[in-house]
Amino acid sequence: MGANSSSISDLPENEYLKKLSGAEPISENDPFWNQLLSFSFTTPTNSADLKLLEEATISVCKSLVEKNPRTGNLGALIKVFLSRTKELKISAECQNHLFIWQAHNALFIICCLLKVFISRMSEEELQLHFTYEEKTAGSYGTEREDLIEELLCCLIQLIVEIPLLDITYSISLEAVTTLIVFLSCQLFHKEILRESIIHRYLMHGRCLPYTSRLVKTLLYNFIRQERSPPPGAHVFQQQTDGGGLLYGIASGVATGLWTVFTLGGVGSKPSPQLEHCSPLASQSLLLLLVLANLTDAPDTPNPYRQAIMSFKNTQDSTALSSSNPHAFQINFNSLYTALSEQQKSDQATLLLYMLLHQNSNVRTYVLARTDIENLVLPILEILYHVEERNSHHVYMALIILLILTEDDGFNRSIHEVILRNITWYAERVLTEISLGSLLILVVIRTIQYNMTRTRDKYLHTNCLAALANMSAQFRSLHQYAAQRIISLFSLLSKKHNKVLEQATQSLRGSLGSNDSPLPDYAQDLNVIEEVIRMMLEIINSCLTNSLHHNPNLVYALLYKRDLFEQFRTHPSFQDIMQNIDLVISFFSSRLEQAGAELSVERVLEIIKQGAIALPKDRLRKFPELKFKYVEEEQPEEFFIPYVWSLVYNSAVALYWNPQDIQLFTMDSG
């Protein structure tokens, strides 16, 4: 920060802030507002800066909370901001730095105050603070106006209508941030908000017609990844000739106590993190996720979710549906590129999940891409680094794979994409491997990690479901992928034997003692046998549908044939073992006939010849393995806390006191 902590600590004694939060009402026409709004700073872009700022100004905010019902100064400040935004578009076109600078400062103060108000009161109490009383001349009553809807609508208009330039970047970012703060009341409730004053304003009335434009603008902000302009680009600059009258006024007003308030002051260098990211893109994506996951109103579905579910490609010439007023078009190629490049963040992965799951136009487009590896590889990298990711991010990545593997065309095409030198895969040097084989390797590695660490049945199920969906289209499996499939079965077999032995010993021990209850080994055994059955079905599906395409899998099967012996007569596996047993017997016989001391190359050659010779009708047909992702009932119970944990943990400027948060525990993010 440009100002050290000692200068920030002076803010509670700042005469302008004290007047704003004092007992005297301030007219919206008072010259005071020009003085209050004439300070220079770069908007804080991390929670550490905002924490310092909030701690320094909390006494001012508390004073305003107490006195505002009588003074109406918050309403007056909002009125000042609203009046200035009416000329913002023209100001941007005319490069009117001073006007935009003061409008931004007004919104920044409103946002800081709003965050404190929302954390300390109910929505009903907040609405009273936003109720503006205007006494009209010659009348005995008062005219009351609720400023919440007017401010919300103004913020949305600012986001969708003001062109994004260096001088408007900060106010656009502040508008997005203020909308997030308006919706942050959810953070201070343990239960999911199903009825909310703010939600009602956003889903009805004056805000509703802007739904599709807001969603489209937020998506384009994410797509474009516009970096923050150099510090000072948004502030009214001094002219080389010493400046005109306007600059003289601005600099004169800004002198005095406000000059201590210079966060990341003009001319200072941006942090290294901000040099490589876009705060506006990050914040826009968070707002989009929050809006998309608002609960439906009693009388209408969430219009923002409807917009996300229905938008089309700009290349799509079919007319937009008249039944959906929130439909729009966007450039799918640009969206695909942004999604592929940004998958390191939870937010981008969650957006990709939502689009694939809810928007059939996006899903069809993605599955038709000939460069699908650009999207799949970042998802696989998330799963590969499972130890470093939070569980929600891993789940989202896994479900994306499950949705993609529901499509047979995808399952075929990934084996045709050849990759070279996958540097992040450390277990083995992979100089050349198909995308399909790499996907199998990463999913199996995730299963093995889960077996030894988290032991999450849900994660197991989805991993196996993705493998099962692909199994009928396995093609030219890499020898290492084939080995890992059999190695996973070997691990499961050992685990099965261990639990079976524990159950037997426990049963023997219980015959001599009735004191302690028996562990539930039967349940453990049942879970392991379900997984073993699934693995056998995956191997069987590959053998019955694409045996001649996978000599490496047959080789691995023969090399570890003893593993399968114990399951031939097991009642849970007898039927599925018939085909596997037949393949092992058939190829073992051909290898015995060829003699001993065979090279790996000769064995593979015999397997390829045998695959052609084996009559297909000898293999028993089983129902096709197909698993479809189905969202759980009441998905908002998962997604709303998840989205708000992303907002809370975001590096972009938002800070809340962790002790105030009710929606989730601090380690849930």
Side-chain angles (χ1 to χ4, degrees):
M1 295 176 69
N4 59 33
S5 56
S6 62
S7 61
I8 288 179
S9 65
D10 292 336
L11 287 176
E13 301 305 316
N14 182 286
E15 64 178 78
Y16 303 116
L17 291 180
K18 286 174 76 173
K19 184 171 181 179
L20 175 67
S21 60
E24 295 297 320
I26 307 169
S27 164
E28 61 196 74
N29 300 315
D30 196 305
F32 162 81
W33 299 110
N34 280 331
Q35 298 170 325
L36 176 71
L37 303 179
S38 295
F39 57 91
S40 301
F41 72 103
T42 299
T43 306
T45 46
N46 62 73
S47 57
D49 281 359
L50 270 179
K51 182 181 179 183
L52 287 174
L53 178 61
E54 182 162 313
E55 288 171 350
T57 56
I58 192 67
S59 61
V60 172
C61 295
K62 286 180 178 178
S63 176
L64 187 63
V65 168
E66 178 188 342
K67 293 167 184 170
N68 183 68
R70 293 187 297 277
T71 66
N73 285 345
L74 176 62
L77 172 61
I78 291 166
K79 281 282 187 178
V80 169
F81 170 72
L82 292 173
S83 68
R84 298 189 182 212
T85 56
K86 292 172 184 174
E87 305 297 329
L88 268 183
K89 195 170 183 180
I90 296 172
S91 298
E93 292 168 357
C94 300
Q95 296 283 303
N96 188 335
H97 292 244
L98 177 63
F99 199 89
I100 295 170
W101 170 41
Q102 290 200 338
H104 166 266
N105 288 351
L107 184 55
F108 177 75
I109 295 173
I110 290 169
C111 187
C112 291
L113 294 172
L114 181 62
K115 194 156 65 65
V116 175
F117 274 58
I118 285 178
S119 67
R120 292 177 174 272
M121 62 187 67
S122 68
E123 282 190 302
E124 290 74 18
E125 291 173 297
L126 179 70
Q127 193 171 30
L128 292 176
H129 279 276
F130 272 77
T131 300
Y132 180 76
E133 284 192 18
E134 184 175 5
K135 297 183 179 180
T136 56
S139 66
Y140 295 98
T142 59
E143 184 181 334
R144 299 175 70 87
E145 181 184 0
D146 186 350
L147 289 174
I148 291 184
E149 184 175 29
E150 193 171 349
L151 180 55
L152 286 170
C153 197
C154 175
L155 293 172
I156 293 172
Q157 288 171 336
L158 196 159
I159 293 167
V160 303
E161 292 179 354
I162 303 300
L164 188 59
L165 309 169
D166 277 2
I167 60 171
T168 61
Y169 190 98
S170 288
I171 195 167
S172 297
L173 174 59
E174 204 61 50
V176 172
T177 301
T178 306
L179 279 178
I180 293 176
V181 170
F182 255 121
L183 291 159
S184 67
C185 49
Q186 176 64 80
L187 279 172
F188 310 104
H189 291 80
K190 286 184 179 180
E191 304 299 323
I192 301 301
L193 286 179
R194 300 188 185 278
E195 290 191 21
S196 158
I197 294 171
I198 308 299
H199 296 186
R200 190 165 65 246
Y201 282 132
L202 288 170
M203 292 191 193
H204 297 84
R206 294 169 56 189
C207 296
L208 186 61
Y210 292 96
T211 297
S212 59
R213 290 177 66 190
L214 178 58
V215 171
K216 184 175 182 177
T217 302
L218 295 175
L219 275 172
Y220 269 127
N221 285 349
F222 166 70
I223 288 169
R224 290 171 180 144
Q225 294 289 316
E226 292 280 357
R227 295 186 181 183
S228 182
H234 63 294
V235 177
F236 193 79
Q237 300 294 302
Q238 184 167 8
Q239 307 292 322
T240 54
D241 60 358
L245 174 63
L246 280 176
Y247 178 78
I249 294 171
S251 60
V253 168
T255 57
L257 289 173
W258 261 128
T259 56
V260 304
F261 185 34
T262 310
L263 296 176
V266 178
S268 65
K269 292 182 180 179
S271 66
Q273 295 87 348
L274 290 177
E275 287 179 338
H276 300 95
C277 74
S278 167
L280 180 61
S282 301
Q283 208 77 325
S284 294
L285 180 52
L286 287 171
L287 176 58
L288 184 64
L289 294 174
V290 170
L291 290 170
N293 285 283
L294 297 179
T295 55
D296 294 336
D299 55 342
T300 181
N302 179 346
Y304 301 96
R305 189 182 303 120
Q306 284 190 311
I308 285 173
M309 290 171 65
S310 59
F311 69 81
K312 293 183 176 183
N313 193 355
T314 49
Q315 305 299 314
D316 190 340
S317 57
T318 58
L320 295 173
S321 172
S322 58
S323 61
N324 184 359
H326 308 303
F328 62 91
Q329 290 181 300
I330 203 166
N331 188 311
F332 276 19
N333 183 56
S334 300
L335 177 61
Y336 181 85
T337 301
L339 286 168
S340 300
E341 292 175 350
Q342 300 298 323
Q343 283 308 306
K344 287 187 178 179
S345 76
D346 284 70
Q347 295 93 300
T349 305
L350 180 53
L351 176 63
L352 176 59
Y353 158 77
M354 284 169 48
L355 295 178
L356 288 175
H357 177 53
Q358 298 177 355
N359 190 314
S360 59
N361 301 317
V362 173
R363 184 167 61 252
T364 300
Y365 176 85
V366 166
L367 290 168
R369 291 285 299 210
T370 56
D371 60 347
I372 192 68
E373 68 273 16
N374 289 343
L375 188 68
V376 174
L377 279 172
I379 298 299
L380 295 183
E381 200 169 348
I382 293 168
L383 292 175
Y384 183 80
H385 296 293
V386 59
E387 303 94 335
E388 303 166 16
R389 304 291 180 181
N390 67 69
S391 61
H392 290 356
H393 199 183
V394 172
Y395 281 142
M396 289 298 103
L398 192 53
I399 292 168
I400 286 167
L401 287 185
L402 180 55
I403 292 171
L404 293 173
T405 61
E406 291 170 12
D407 182 77
D408 286 341
F410 171 84
N411 295 330
R412 284 190 296 271
S413 67
I414 55 176
H415 293 288
E416 298 166 4
V417 177
I418 303 301
L419 307 168
R420 289 175 177 83
N421 299 318
I422 307 301
T423 55
W424 48 262
Y425 194 93
E427 275 82 354
R428 179 165 173 157
V429 176
L430 300 174
T431 53
E432 187 172 286
I433 190 171
S434 72
L435 179 60
S437 289
L438 181 63
L439 198 160
I440 292 166
L441 283 175
V442 172
V443 170
I444 287 176
R445 186 179 183 277
T446 306
I447 293 173
Q448 290 179 324
Y449 173 83
N450 186 51
M451 285 176 65
T452 56
R453 305 283 182 86
T454 54
R455 300 182 182 181
D456 187 321
K457 185 181 177 183
Y458 180 76
L459 192 143
H460 254 21
T461 303
N462 284 289
C463 284
L464 291 167
L467 288 177
N469 284 346
M470 292 189 291
S471 59
Q473 275 86 33
F474 282 172
R475 294 287 187 278
S476 304
L477 289 184
H478 191 280
Q479 61 180 22
Y480 186 50
Q483 289 170 18
R484 299 311 296 160
I485 290 172
I486 304 304
S487 295
L488 175 58
F489 185 81
S490 173
L491 185 65
L492 290 167
S493 176
K494 290 175 183 175
K495 195 169 183 64
H496 178 267
N497 292 341
K498 183 179 178 181
V499 174
L500 196 60
E501 184 181 345
Q502 287 174 334
T504 304
Q505 290 177 352
S506 176
L507 191 61
R508 286 173 184 161
S510 68
L511 295 176
S513 172
N514 294 322
D515 295 339
S516 56
L518 286 174
D520 193 0
Y521 288 115
Q523 185 178 356
D524 290 347
L525 204 59
N526 184 52
V527 170
I528 294 169
E529 288 184 355
E530 281 181 13
V531 177
I532 289 175
R533 169 84 191 188
M534 191 83 156
M535 281 302 299
L536 289 171
E537 287 180 343
I538 289 166
I539 295 168
N540 179 70
S541 173
C542 177
L543 296 177
T544 54
N545 289 285
S546 53
L547 175 68
H548 57 294
H549 288 299
N550 292 291
N552 284 327
L553 182 62
V554 176
Y555 184 100
L557 202 62
L558 294 172
Y559 191 75
K560 293 283 189 179
R561 72 190 83 176
D562 294 344
L563 276 177
F564 299 88
E565 191 67 35
Q566 63 175 310
F567 299 107
R568 290 174 63 188
T569 56
H570 195 292
S572 298
F573 312 120
Q574 270 183 318
D575 57 338
I576 205 74
M577 276 299 301
Q578 288 178 20
N579 286 341
I580 296 172
D581 199 31
L582 175 67
V583 168
I584 290 173
S585 301
F586 177 82
F587 285 97
S588 295
S589 174
R590 292 181 75 91
L591 291 174
E592 287 171 9
Q593 292 171 19
E597 303 299 326
L598 299 173
S599 67
V600 172
E601 291 76 14
R602 178 59 183 147
V603 171
L604 286 171
E605 186 182 335
I606 293 168
I607 289 171
K608 289 174 184 176
Q609 293 169 353
I612 298 170
L614 178 64
K616 299 294 183 288
D617 57 2
R618 289 185 62 185
L619 295 173
R620 177 183 166 187
K621 286 289 182 184
F622 285 84
E624 183 183 13
L625 290 178
K626 269 299 169 190
F627 294 88
K628 190 174 177 64
Y629 169 68
V630 179
E631 202 167 67
E632 294 182 10
E633 291 184 16
Q634 294 188 313
E636 65 273 10
E637 298 289 343
F638 169 82
F639 285 105
I640 290 177
Y642 179 31
V643 168
W644 278 107
S645 73
L646 297 181
V647 175
Y648 177 82
N649 290 309
S650 170
V652 181
L654 275 173
Y655 168 77
W656 286 279
N657 188 332
Q659 295 177 346
D660 295 335
I661 305 300
Q662 298 291 317
L663 181 61
F664 48 78
T665 55
M666 288 304 103
D667 60 351
S668 68

